[in-house]
Amino acid sequence: MLLVAFATFFGSFLIRIANFETAFVGGVPQLSPFDEMYHAKRIVYSNQHVFRVLNFDESRGARGSFCPWPPLYDMAAGAVTRLLGGKNPSDIVARASWLPPVISSLAAALVAAWVSSRFGRSTGILAGVGIALSTQFIDRSRLGAIDHHFLEFPLVLGFIAATVVTADARSSREAIRAGGLLALALTVALLVQTALLLAAGIVAATILLLERHRAVARLAAASGFFLAAVIVWFYRSQQPAGYPDNEWYLGMPHAAALGAAAAACVAQFWLLARAVPVVRSALLAIVIGVAVLAAVPNAPEALLRGSQFLGGDPWLQSISEFQPLFRPDGIWWADLSLIGGGFFLTAAATTARSWRRGRRVLFLPFALGYSLAAISSTRFLSVAGPLCAISGAIAIADLRKKRGALLCGAAVVVLLAPSMLLSAGRVIHPAPAIDSEMVPFVRAAGFLRSQTSPGRILGPWSWGHLFNVVGGKGVLLDNFGGVGGRTEFENGTGIILSPREKAVADYCAANGVRFIVLDDPLPYYAARAEMSGLPRGAFERPPVAPRSDPEPSRLMRSTFWWRAYFEGGRERPGGAPAGAAFQRFRLIRVETAPERSEIRSAVQIWELLPASFRLQNKTAPIARDRFRLGNEKGQGVRGTARSPAETSSGRLPGN
């Protein structure tokens, strides 16, 4: 068992550090210019302020904003890097860059050891290999991928372990222990990532559908959910004034959901004692839980809005990782490979009697639940893939006993071949943190750092963390999108669609914006209009020929964005006010990609002229801690080709 665990850890770790040469250049960590940027900023802060975290950031938004991420990961990473000797920002981030491959490999090793002890060494090896090769999990846990998503799979394993212990509780002592373990799993997970409330819901559903004789398990689960709800409530009560109460910020809606789960478990215990059937009692208990949830102000609305995490939100629909599988413009066989052979083996295993009882039945809801969520949003593949690899390996062990070696071998190919094919390129030729199309934004951030003029930056939201951390200036929009305020986000993204320069200048002056960063409108303008609350049809015309892309409308061609990017703000013939030459903005910089791109990769920086600029709010000085991304001079940076679907739909690489 120990040998299997060691081999799994070693193999998984080597796969995840295969990008060492692109993750470090000259000893300097290279980060993706998206969420990793802001995690780096928070980790450095927590390293330098032990047991504290950057919560309210004055450099975000017009007047500062709270960070929607819970504090535990960044605070713990800051403490760990401090223990490891990190002192300056580069050293701190360099040490934090090793956390994803180490922690994810430890999780794979523990699973392989447990499966080996229960089902044999070969099954443990197969499960470990399946986790190690899970394509999306590799992307989330490679060297330098310090976004907190790599922790989701290990934390879900904690949910599964707590569910098993809770279901096995038979006495009051066991119930107390199980409840404490469940509360610990729930609290730690939610203090890392609020989206893990989905896993908490799976725990509640699993407990409610247990056999009748496991009545104590309901009380154990109720105590765990209730204790976690109290802890989350206490956490919320310690936040300063102005802290939002919505689905993105850990607080009352999440505490209410946990309390509702506790009420449902208690209600079912009472109903089962009165001989109500399990399924009927579960449904009635859910109704009671919903009633408890509805009694908490704002909680039902917040959770309903949070359900758009699985689809339906215009902002999230613009992000590549939130796209569904098997969409019309996708490639079906590639989507089948992404979801992995483990899903199909797991689905087939549900028909076997051995999976309908014991501890196996407690594992299935997590594997199938996250797989269904991944079909709706590929963001969940990094958890669904490893979970299905585990259940698929166990299903193959069953086949070996009952069906013979030939069918078992075919099942092994189904389990591992898709992941091996998709992951091989990531291991042999790892992509750099910065591709050629990102280089102009990195250069633009470097240029903006050199500007001493006061004022914030208004740019594409998906590059906000880059401009904030590398550019060293406050940003009006960043990768958190509309989580801090939908109206403010829509106004910020939509203002450049105004046809009048004066309206844009007045908005910038009122919000302390000095610089506007513009990218090519063509791939993104329709999606940008939609996420701004504007009618998409007003800005694009139907395609003139079958299979061609829609064309920008006359309104789109008159917008500030279009005129600045394509016409340089020059006067248009006709004399209309919207066609007058720009009087309040000037173009101060253009950055281009070092290699030929599928889209116009030039990035323009426009400055609001001093006569029009009125800084409305004092901004706090921003620490100019240097984080280098890729090769900022654009030398030796390989381009990563985008699919035509991604380019035409305007999907952005991440948030």
Side-chain angles (χ1 to χ4, degrees):
M1 186 174 71
L2 290 177
L3 181 61
V4 171
F6 177 78
T8 300
F9 176 86
F10 189 67
S12 176
F13 185 72
L14 288 179
I15 289 172
R16 282 156 175 76
I17 65 169
N19 66 327
F20 180 84
E21 291 186 357
T22 59
F24 290 91
V25 175
V28 178
Q30 313 292 294
L31 298 182
S32 170
F34 303 116
D35 282 6
E36 280 84 356
M37 281 283 95
Y38 202 71
H39 276 294
K41 181 176 181 178
R42 294 231 298 177
I43 290 170
V44 169
Y45 181 92
S46 292
N47 174 284
Q48 298 172 349
H49 306 82
V50 182
F51 301 123
R52 294 175 59 190
V53 71
L54 182 60
N55 189 16
F56 184 83
D57 188 347
E58 294 186 354
S59 68
R60 293 184 52 241
R63 296 165 184 82
S65 181
F66 287 94
C67 178
W69 290 334
L72 185 56
Y73 164 57
D74 293 322
M75 188 167 60
V80 169
T81 56
R82 187 182 181 94
L83 288 174
L84 294 176
K87 295 181 180 179
N88 61 66
S90 181
D91 289 344
I92 294 168
V93 176
R95 285 157 175 77
S97 296
W98 291 92
L99 294 178
V102 169
I103 294 175
S104 60
S105 298
L106 279 174
L110 289 174
V111 170
W114 180 83
V115 173
S116 296
S117 67
R118 300 277 303 186
F119 302 97
R121 181 179 297 177
S122 60
T123 306
I125 293 173
L126 192 59
V129 171
I131 296 172
L133 292 176
S134 181
T135 306
Q136 296 296 313
F137 191 37
I138 290 175
D139 289 344
R140 295 295 191 188
S141 56
R142 70 188 187 282
L143 186 63
I146 60 173
D147 192 356
H148 56 194
H149 293 314
F150 77 91
L151 290 169
E152 291 185 21
F153 170 64
L155 291 171
V156 170
L157 291 178
F159 278 106
I160 295 172
T163 303
V164 171
V165 173
T166 301
D168 288 344
R170 295 292 186 272
S171 64
S172 57
R173 177 177 296 180
E174 291 176 347
I176 293 172
R177 182 182 63 184
L181 180 61
L182 178 59
L184 178 64
L186 290 166
T187 304
V188 171
L190 291 177
L191 284 172
V192 170
Q193 170 62 279
T194 54
L196 286 168
L197 194 64
L198 171 64
I202 296 175
V203 173
T206 303
I207 295 297
L208 291 175
L209 293 175
L210 288 175
E211 300 91 336
R212 173 184 294 275
H213 68 272
R214 300 196 189 193
V216 176
R218 273 82 174 182
L219 292 181
S223 64
F225 280 115
F226 179 75
L227 181 56
V230 171
I231 296 173
V232 172
W233 169 83
F234 179 76
Y235 166 81
R236 172 62 185 89
S237 68
Q238 301 305 303
Q239 300 306 308
Y243 183 84
D245 271 318
N246 61 40
E247 64 276 15
W248 295 100
Y249 293 82
L250 184 62
M252 287 307 300
H254 305 85
L258 296 173
C265 291
V266 172
Q268 191 187 36
F269 176 83
W270 183 83
L271 291 168
L272 289 176
R274 283 149 183 80
V276 179
V278 172
V279 175
R280 187 183 302 173
S281 66
L283 294 175
L284 291 172
I286 291 173
V287 171
I288 294 172
V290 170
V292 171
L293 179 68
V296 180
N298 192 44
E301 297 86 347
L303 293 177
L304 284 174
R305 291 192 302 267
S307 66
Q308 292 185 326
F309 206 69
L310 297 172
D313 183 272
W315 166 55
L316 295 177
Q317 286 179 337
S318 70
I319 305 172
S320 59
E321 68 181 32
F322 283 90
Q323 300 304 308
L325 286 171
F326 311 116
R327 58 185 184 270
D329 60 347
I331 304 173
W332 66 270
W333 57 265
D335 288 341
L336 285 176
S337 300
L338 276 175
I339 199 168
F343 169 75
F344 302 103
L345 294 174
T346 302
T350 59
T351 63
R353 184 176 301 176
S354 60
W355 284 87
R356 300 177 192 171
R357 61 179 183 270
R359 292 181 173 178
R360 294 189 186 189
V361 75
L362 302 177
F363 183 87
L364 277 179
F366 293 91
L368 294 178
Y370 266 92
S371 296
L372 293 175
I375 293 174
S376 175
S377 174
T378 56
R379 176 226 181 279
F380 294 101
L381 282 172
S382 60
V383 178
L387 290 180
C388 288
I390 300 170
S391 53
I394 297 172
I396 291 173
D398 294 340
L399 284 175
R400 186 170 61 247
K401 295 177 182 177
K402 300 177 182 179
R403 301 291 182 178
L406 184 61
L407 186 58
C408 178
V412 171
V413 173
V414 170
L415 177 65
L416 298 182
S419 296
M420 292 179 67
L421 291 173
L422 289 176
S423 302
R426 288 166 164 79
V427 177
I428 299 172
H429 299 293
I434 300 295
D435 64 33
S436 60
E437 291 183 4
M438 299 176 186
V439 169
F441 287 97
V442 177
R443 289 175 171 174
F447 172 78
L448 288 167
R449 172 178 286 274
S450 68
Q451 299 301 295
T452 58
S453 303
R456 297 178 182 258
I457 300 169
L458 172 62
W461 64 263
S462 57
W463 302 96
H465 290 333
L466 172 68
F467 295 138
N468 180 270
V469 179
V470 175
K473 293 186 180 297
V475 293
L476 201 64
L477 299 173
D478 61 21
N479 305 56
F480 294 127
V483 304
R486 174 63 64 178
T487 301
E488 292 80 1
F489 175 72
E490 291 179 351
N491 290 342
T493 56
I495 188 60
I496 59 173
L497 295 172
S498 170
R500 298 188 178 274
E501 181 200 13
K502 182 179 184 302
V504 181
D506 290 345
Y507 175 85
C508 290
N511 289 278
V513 172
R514 185 63 173 264
F515 304 98
I516 295 183
V517 180
L518 299 178
D519 55 355
D520 179 17
L522 282 176
Y524 310 118
Y525 71 89
R528 192 81 57 88
E530 194 170 38
M531 74 176 68
S532 302
L534 300 171
R536 186 186 186 110
F539 293 88
E540 69 175 6
R541 296 183 301 183
V544 296
R547 298 184 180 179
S548 63
D549 293 332
E551 295 184 356
S553 68
R554 184 177 179 181
L555 174 62
M556 180 62 213
R557 294 177 185 273
S558 69
T559 61
F560 175 89
W561 188 7
W562 186 279
R563 292 196 57 216
Y565 194 88
F566 290 118
E567 301 172 11
R570 294 187 295 273
E571 183 177 1
R572 279 185 164 186
F582 285 179
Q583 301 293 323
R584 296 171 174 82
F585 290 91
R586 65 177 178 180
L587 180 64
I588 61 172
R589 190 79 171 185
V590 177
E591 298 287 357
T592 57
E595 297 181 7
R596 189 173 181 178
S597 170
E598 293 182 2
I599 63 173
R600 296 178 183 83
S601 56
V603 173
Q604 299 180 355
I605 302 176
W606 290 76
E607 182 183 16
L608 182 63
L609 295 176
S612 300
F613 180 71
R614 297 291 184 270
L615 188 60
Q616 301 295 320
N617 302 287
K618 294 182 179 180
T619 57
I622 301 170
R624 293 179 174 266
D625 297 331
R626 286 194 175 273
F627 301 103
R628 289 168 54 187
L629 301 87
N631 188 327
E632 294 188 12
K633 295 181 179 180
Q635 299 173 351
V637 180
R638 294 198 302 271
T640 302
R642 288 185 183 174
S643 69
E646 284 185 313
T647 303
S648 62
S649 63
R651 289 175 192 140
L652 299 167
N655 78 315

